[in-house]
Amino acid sequence: LSSSCFRLSSAMKIRRFKQVVGRNDQFTRTVGAGSVVDVMPWLQYFPNPVKTIFDDFKRLNREFNSFIRDKVSEHRKTIQSSSVRDMTDALIASLDRLSAKTGVPLWKEYVTPTVGDVFGASQDTLSTALQWIFLVLVKYPDVQQRLQKEVDQVVGRQRLPCLEDQQQLPWVMAFIYEVMRFTSFMPLTIPHSTTTDTTIGGYSIPRNTVVFINQWSVNHDPAIWPQPETFDPDRFLNPNGSLNKDLTSSVLIFSLGKRRCIGEELAKLHLFLFTALMGHQCRLASDPARPPSLDWNYGTLKPHAFHIAVSLRGDMRLLDQAAAGAPAGEGEA
């Protein structure tokens, strides 16, 4: 997702990019404190540990927003109508065409926040999801074996998984949805504010009220999920083995409504490809001396540091061909 936003062409640009991405863990550690201030805003007005962390949170946000603004400005200066380099170029070009029709300059107002949303979300949500996928596959070896079995049956061993396989891999998708539900690594949504007086479920919500969605509570509601503390991908399958779309839509990790994460579908595609490819090509095992734990750190619920061993299930032939850009079967007898 990051590379689709910006094409980095120089060592200096790559260095600054790494600096921004490298602050991801620090940013995540402050999100929890930021949530506390959203609930108890008076904490930001006198010296206390939460205020210190919240001030760090605001500083990191300023640095991140400055990085995004600079990248969008660079793109604006160097964009060429004959070549679209990345998503930032595509957004600028699209809004230029719209501005030409309406007479209203739009790119400054919309490109920067849109790119910031996609780029920012990819730095935390996807990376956290991938960590949990690794950990769960190691924690539950039978789950890993079942995932590998389905991928082998559908894909075979002569090519790599691709997006077109998704409909034929319902258990892989059930596994991904169960990881999101079981871990609920985004337990609360980012804060929003009501723009008018409203009611929800009979409760009056005044204008300018800070509102969160408790995604953890929804994902662990026993009325929806029998034995919610048990990891069970089969809960998402219909009796005929197909994916239960009603249940998958009940998993909350990308928020709800008009302000839900704009990268949700793209993130799910990335998670599918990663999981299918990992199951197809790799075998994961835990370190007997340091067994994995499902404990997590507060904020975005990242798992504690864990140690695993990764080995190939076969050879590097398919991966080498993919890296070289060659079709999987090219050159074979």
Side-chain angles (χ1 to χ4, degrees):
L1 286 179
S2 300
S3 60
S4 67
C5 291
F6 309 122
R7 177 172 294 180
L8 305 173
S9 56
S10 71
M12 183 178 296
K13 292 178 181 179
I14 292 172
R15 192 158 51 244
R16 190 180 180 199
F17 170 79
K18 288 182 176 179
Q19 289 174 349
V20 172
V21 174
R23 295 188 181 100
N24 184 42
D25 287 340
Q26 185 180 357
F27 180 87
T28 300
R29 288 195 297 270
T30 68
V31 169
S35 297
V36 172
V37 170
D38 286 321
V39 176
M40 295 179 284
W42 45 268
L43 284 172
Q44 64 184 300
Y45 298 116
F46 64 91
N48 66 84
V50 171
K51 181 182 185 302
T52 300
I53 300 176
F54 184 59
D55 287 342
D56 289 340
F57 172 76
K58 291 189 290 184
R59 175 181 56 80
L60 290 168
N61 263 314
R62 288 193 297 270
E63 293 175 359
F64 175 79
N65 290 331
S66 175
F67 172 79
I68 298 297
R69 282 195 304 271
D70 289 348
K71 294 302 299 178
V72 172
S73 295
E74 290 174 14
H75 276 64
R76 183 66 198 176
K77 293 174 182 176
T78 59
I79 190 172
Q80 297 180 358
S81 58
S82 60
S83 174
V84 175
R85 296 165 294 185
D86 47 37
M87 190 184 76
T88 304
D89 271 2
L91 284 169
I92 292 173
S94 296
L95 288 173
D96 275 353
R97 289 193 293 270
L98 186 60
S99 295
K101 293 180 180 179
T102 62
V104 179
L106 298 171
W107 74 269
K108 286 186 178 180
E109 183 176 359
Y110 293 108
V111 175
T112 299
T114 301
V115 173
D117 284 347
V118 175
F119 182 83
S122 72
Q123 296 311 302
D124 195 41
T125 307
L126 261 182
S127 62
T128 302
L130 297 178
Q131 289 179 48
W132 280 112
I133 286 173
F134 270 117
L135 182 57
V136 169
L137 288 174
V138 170
K139 183 72 174 178
Y140 303 110
D142 56 325
V143 169
Q144 182 179 167
Q145 292 170 8
R146 175 122 181 236
L147 187 146
Q148 291 169 337
K149 180 179 179 181
E150 183 182 64
V151 175
D152 286 350
Q153 288 176 341
V154 172
V155 177
R157 303 301 302 169
Q158 300 305 310
R159 66 176 179 88
L160 296 176
C162 61
L163 286 178
E164 287 71 20
D165 296 318
Q166 184 173 340
Q167 296 299 318
Q168 285 72 49
L169 295 171
W171 204 88
V172 172
M173 292 305 301
F175 166 78
I176 293 170
Y177 278 105
E178 181 67 346
V179 169
M180 293 191 292
R181 184 208 67 80
F182 180 74
T183 64
S184 293
F185 55 83
M186 293 291 290
L188 298 174
T189 59
I190 60 174
H192 291 75
S193 178
T194 52
T195 57
T196 186
D197 295 344
T198 187
T199 59
I200 299 178
Y203 292 92
S204 297
I205 312 294
R207 182 175 178 267
N208 293 328
T209 299
V210 176
V211 177
F212 300 85
I213 297 176
N214 188 339
Q215 300 190 132
W216 177 278
S217 178
V218 173
N219 290 340
H220 291 80
D221 183 353
I224 305 174
W225 318 100
Q227 297 181 306
E229 302 306 321
T230 300
F231 186 86
D232 181 18
D234 286 322
R235 70 173 79 242
F236 287 99
L237 297 181
N238 292 313
N240 64 359
S242 62
L243 202 61
N244 186 323
K245 298 298 181 63
D246 290 334
L247 273 182
T248 58
S249 64
S250 298
V251 176
L252 293 189
I253 207 75
F254 296 98
S255 191
L256 279 172
K258 294 181 179 179
R259 298 296 180 264
R260 70 190 302 142
C261 177
I262 60 174
E264 176 178 356
E265 294 307 316
L266 188 57
K268 288 178 181 177
L269 291 179
H270 276 73
L271 291 177
F272 166 75
L273 283 174
F274 175 87
T275 303
L277 182 62
M278 184 63 60
H280 189 264
Q281 288 292 300
C282 298
R283 184 178 295 105
L284 309 178
S286 62
D287 181 350
R290 293 174 287 190
S293 166
L294 295 179
D295 294 335
W296 37 260
N297 299 308
Y298 181 64
T300 300
L301 304 186
K302 291 182 179 292
H304 290 173
F306 56 93
H307 300 81
I308 62 173
V310 182
S311 59
L312 279 173
R313 297 182 62 208
D315 55 37
M316 287 289 295
R317 177 178 54 87
L318 295 176
L319 294 174
D320 287 340
Q321 289 173 345
E330 188 174 290
E332 296 178 359

